[in-house]
Amino acid sequence: MRSKKEKVEKHPTDLLEWPVGRLDFSAGCLVMGILNVTPDSFSDGGEFLDGDRALKHGLKMVEDGAAIIDVGGESTRPGSVSVSAAEQIGRVLPVVEALSAKTDVPISVDTCEFEVAKAALDAGAGMINDITALGDERIGELAAERQVPVVLMHMKGTPETMQVEPRYGDVVAEVLEFLLERARRAEQLGVPREMIFIDPGIGFGKTLEHNLLLLKDIGKFVASGFRVLVGASRKSFIGSITGRQDPRERVYGTASTVALCAAAGVSIVRVHDVAEMLDVTKVAAAVDQSDRS
Ligand code: HH2
């Protein structure tokens, strides 16, 4: 269990404020709600391709307590092929515009395409979720110029091929080293340290065993001093363990990962089931804070 002193030393302030957003980590791990405006995402593909339905679902997640809404226009499930920037913009932009007009909750754009990130920020998004961790450095420059937080995620290969026999010597050490290098690069480009989130990329070029080792050692990522985001929600490794083929039946399995992450000091969990996972993070935070009297 983390002590209060340890936490204070890592992050001088629990409040992250920037020109178009604000996140308060004082109550523990925050919940980022997933909004996939895609026809083919592994869990919610096609459900929110329609703009009105996407907006409704985004607002429902805000009502349920999401601290951030992550809007994406491209599925990155294993085997998926990439979608053009123009197509992503066409899907994501109307939703970002409509959502940001109706809520103060920061909207994150889930993209590794510079043009998509820029268009989304112009339309009201306040954060970039880059699953290639600055594969295109202009994303880092953009985050620095606009002073917005950026998520840097580890992926081995590309979504199309990443699950074909991924191999590591020491998965935790290799993923962490990669993320720290990219985080330092983001700092060099001018992104303030407290605005950089690192993410081990659960399911992105990882076997079941790799995912488990990363979750087991997630505290090592937290100990790096960068804030950590984890996205394990409904992913197939949970199905492998529980035998649940339908991603929508993986809510309890997801809850287990969220509890582990919250207890280890992860700052944000990226999830489909906002209300349920908020309960999990609240209980984890209550246990964590019970030693502060
Ligand atoms: N996982 C997915 C997409 N974006 N971003 C971050 N930072 N971390 C993740 O683990 C992550 C992510 C894949 O999940 P999902 O969006 O539900 O599915 P799909 O890629 O099929 O749209």
Side-chain angles (χ1 to χ4, degrees), residues 53-214:
R53 290 181 72 172
L55 175 62
K56 256 196 197 147
H57 186 59
L59 292 175
K60 169 77 168 62
M61 290 194 289
V62 169
E63 200 185 301
D64 285 347
I68 307 155
I69 304 294
D70 190 39
V71 183
E74 173 183 50
S75 170
T76 48
R77 73 191 186 287
S80 59
V81 282
S82 66
V83 168
S84 73
E87 181 85 38
Q88 285 187 52
I89 289 173
R91 292 175 183 173
V92 155
L93 227 62
V95 178
V96 169
E97 264 168 14
L99 255 182
S100 60
K102 294 219 171 208
T103 177
D104 287 338
V105 163
I107 317 288
S108 151
V109 59
D110 185 355
T111 190
C112 47
E113 295 279 350
F114 169 75
E115 287 79 11
V116 182
K118 187 167 178 298
L121 293 187
D122 288 341
M127 185 165 171
I128 306 170
N129 176 18
D130 179 5
I131 63 160
T132 64
L134 309 187
D136 182 342
E137 286 205 342
R138 288 178 301 166
I139 296 242
E141 290 163 6
L142 180 66
E145 183 196 315
R146 305 288 180 96
Q147 291 290 290
V148 296
V150 62
V151 180
L152 305 176
M153 195 199 80
H154 175 273
M155 168 165 52
K156 197 175 184 72
T158 63
E160 205 173 350
T161 57
M162 66 192 178
Q163 289 308 105
V164 184
E165 287 191 58
R167 273 180 213 183
Y168 300 85
D170 176 338
V171 65
V172 172
E174 285 173 38
V175 170
L176 184 55
E177 190 187 325
F178 168 87
L179 289 174
L180 292 184
E181 186 204 308
R182 293 298 168 99
R184 278 192 288 270
R185 185 69 192 127
E187 278 192 282
Q188 283 167 0
L189 292 171
V191 185
R193 188 182 178 83
E194 66 275 15
M195 291 206 186
I196 300 169
F197 292 80
I198 58 170
D199 176 346
I202 298 297
F204 285 87
K206 280 108 188 170
T207 61
L208 167 63
E209 193 62 20
H210 295 144
N211 290 322
L212 297 178
L213 289 170
L214 288 165

